[in-house]
Amino acid sequence: MPQRPRSGEPRRGRPERRGGSRRPARRTGSDPAAPGSMVGTELVLDIGAVAHGGSCVARTEGRVVFVRHTLPGERVRARVTDGTRTSRFLRADAVEVLDASPERRTPACPWSGPGRCGGCDWQHTSAAYGRELKTAVVAEQLRRLAGIDWTGDVEAVPGDEDGLRWRTRVELATGPDGRAGFRAHRSHDVVPVEDCVISVPQVRATGIFTERFEAGITGVDVAVSSDGSATAVLLPHRGEVPGVLESVTAGGTSLDFEVSARGFWQVHPGAAPTFVDEVLRQLAPRPGERVLDLYCGVGLFTRFLAERVGHSGAVLGIEGDERAVSDAQAALREVPQARIERSDVRRAEPLVERHLGGAADLVVLDPPRTGAGREVVQQIARLRPRAVAYVACDPSALARDLAYAADEGYALTSLRAFDAFPMTHHVECIAILVPAERG
């Protein structure tokens, strides 16, 4: 379950750095001076359905326009941010709302909006309506890419308070004036802020939003542990990165993990226990079973699964990121039935042969945003597990991989979606697959 680009997106799968180097400010997309560029052009648009990625869909002269800072049913004046007169589609920001949705509200964050912090997509509505938008996106992606009619709802994660004050880890970059901030949407520009209203109060209490950092400091990460203590790491960091203690209670068991302050951990306090509970409930691991945990990150699922299969079972976690592997190996040092290997997941079969005897009763699959892909899905199917738990942070990649799984004889039996990143377009899904003859 374990992240992503500087615009405040949550970190998934293997840790990735955002804002770790000072690069010249530039806008991605079309060059405004390029021949035929439409950047800066203003259009009056009627806003249609929500789209995957935090925008809504409008049309002009037969072309699709993906418009940020809007809600379905609104009429807005939008300014094009990317595209030319020959582009298949345009991107735009709503700079004036002419006819507002009844779901629109004043953003809790004064730094959200066109040209400002790019971390939140839905500050201009409630967390509850944001979940309705995410539900529509998940359903549309599953229907379009996998032919699956999903009738569920995106669920709030325990501890949600209308989408605010939940984020326990933030990554900021520093601007030319030495102030820390977040990237603007699809940009390297740094937007200084005085607070981040989706982060827990301890982040602001560190003083990172008011401090002026010296030349050479390109960014700062802050991690708040389960006990509420905050650790700040200046970038570039030299030497050993501090560890942060994280505690998780799930499936009737409480376990502690020491995770690097720059490593991966779920940023919503309710996410890790919710996801582990769901995976354990659905897979129902039995003593003596063999389990494969692909893209295992810091070993969260690996360790809980090892508790369930006991000393007569075996759990193999495979992860490609060096820092995550180090954290996972430390967490599992005294759990002999579990083993963590650093490897490309696509080359996991020799490791499965060596440590699990070439078979697996259960598989947990928790890839980064790009998904697992056909090769990995085929590799899993060859093991013929009795059940697979796919933990996904991108509904489009999930839907594609579910279609691949169907080709390999695995059917979807359960899918729940969770709002682990309120105020953003991100959504976490847990899908359960079994051999089709049992589905």
Side-chain angles (χ1 to χ4, degrees):
M1 27 181 259
Q3 90 158 223
R4 331 51 341 255
R6 182 63 248 175
S7 61
E9 295 177 358
R11 203 183 297 169
R12 275 283 306 171
R14 284 73 51 115
E16 299 175 14
R17 304 320 313 152
R18 295 172 290 165
S21 62
R22 188 179 300 238
R23 293 171 286 189
R26 66 178 178 85
R27 189 78 178 177
T28 60
S30 304
D31 179 356
S37 173
M38 292 189 67
V39 174
T41 303
E42 292 194 355
L43 306 167
V44 174
L45 299 170
D46 293 314
I47 304 301
V50 63
H52 179 36
S55 300
C56 290
V57 177
R59 295 183 182 275
T60 182
E61 298 179 351
R63 274 190 301 179
V64 167
V65 187
F66 294 105
V67 192
R68 280 175 59 80
H69 313 293
T70 59
L71 296 173
E74 294 188 323
R75 185 174 177 83
V76 303
R77 186 180 305 280
R79 184 174 297 133
V80 176
T81 59
D82 187 10
T84 69
R85 299 193 182 281
T86 58
S87 299
R88 290 189 302 109
F89 62 86
L90 304 173
R91 299 184 191 276
D93 285 344
V95 294
E96 182 183 1
V97 179
L98 305 176
D99 187 5
S101 163
E103 299 292 346
R104 179 171 284 274
R105 73 174 190 182
T106 301
C109 175
W111 296 279
S112 68
R116 300 172 186 169
C117 173
C120 291
D121 305 289
W122 305 115
Q123 278 280 342
H124 52 286
T125 191
S126 65
Y129 188 63
R131 289 191 290 273
E132 291 186 29
L133 297 175
K134 296 181 189 188
T135 296
V137 168
V138 174
E140 193 273 338
Q141 295 295 309
L142 290 170
R143 182 174 56 252
R144 183 170 63 86
L145 298 177
I148 295 171
D149 289 323
W150 180 67
T151 57
D153 295 296
V154 173
E155 305 169 41
V157 170
D160 178 71
E161 305 231 358
D162 200 20
L164 304 178
R165 299 301 182 194
W166 54 268
R167 192 179 181 101
T168 59
R169 291 188 176 225
V170 298
E171 299 176 0
L172 300 101
T174 55
D177 61 355
R179 289 189 60 193
F182 298 102
R183 304 286 189 187
H185 182 63
R186 294 173 58 84
S187 173
H188 296 312
D189 295 345
V190 177
V191 179
V193 300
E194 296 175 16
D195 190 10
C196 172
V197 299
I198 65 169
S199 67
V200 293
Q202 293 93 327
V203 172
R204 183 180 184 181
T206 63
I208 59 170
F209 296 123
T210 56
E211 186 168 348
R212 299 272 179 157
F213 294 94
E214 63 185 32
I217 299 299
T218 59
V220 58
D221 290 358
V222 178
V224 179
S225 70
S226 297
D227 66 6
S229 59
T231 300
V233 179
L234 300 182
L235 308 177
H237 183 75
R238 297 176 179 84
E240 187 174 350
V241 178
V244 174
L245 184 66
E246 303 286 1
S247 300
V248 180
T249 299
T253 302
S254 295
L255 297 173
D256 292 333
F257 297 78
E258 186 170 356
V259 183
S260 165
R262 299 203 69 221
F264 170 74
W265 189 255
Q266 280 290 339
V267 295
H268 194 303
T274 298
F275 300 164
V276 174
D277 270 335
E278 178 66 6
V279 168
L280 293 178
R281 184 179 71 84
Q282 292 283 2
L283 293 186
R286 304 162 187 161
E289 287 194 309
R290 296 165 293 179
V291 186
L292 178 61
D293 186 3
L294 296 176
Y295 308 96
C296 71
V298 300
L300 175 66
F301 290 120
T302 315
R303 193 168 172 198
F304 277 94
L305 290 163
E307 292 285 325
R308 290 296 183 90
V309 302
H311 290 285
S312 61
V315 183
L316 172 62
I318 298 179
E319 170 59 51
D321 180 79
E322 183 177 6
R323 181 183 292 116
V325 167
S326 177
D327 287 342
Q329 289 174 338
L332 291 153
R333 188 173 292 122
E334 298 181 7
V335 186
Q337 66 269 33
R339 185 179 184 90
I340 302 294
E341 292 281 356
R342 185 184 178 195
S343 172
D344 184 333
V345 167
R346 294 170 298 179
R347 298 174 177 82
E349 284 182 304
L351 293 171
V352 176
E353 183 67 38
R354 185 183 313 151
H355 300 297
L356 298 180
D361 300 294
L362 301 170
V363 174
V364 175
L365 178 63
D366 186 11
R369 187 159 293 116
T370 51
R374 186 185 292 275
E375 185 178 354
V376 172
V377 171
Q378 290 175 335
Q379 178 179 252
I380 292 170
R382 285 195 291 271
L383 299 174
R384 302 309 296 170
R386 67 173 177 85
V388 178
Y390 190 140
V391 184
C393 63
D394 185 281
S396 176
L398 171 64
R400 178 205 64 199
D401 288 346
L402 291 180
Y404 294 157
D407 292 341
E408 300 302 320
Y410 274 77
L412 178 71
T413 61
S414 167
L415 191 149
R416 293 179 70 187
F418 298 95
D419 192 15
F421 312 102
M423 297 296 168
T424 78
H425 73 272
H426 301 287
V427 59
E428 202 90 6
C429 298
I430 299 180
I432 305 300
L433 302 166
V434 301
E437 59 270 20
R438 291 181 44 224

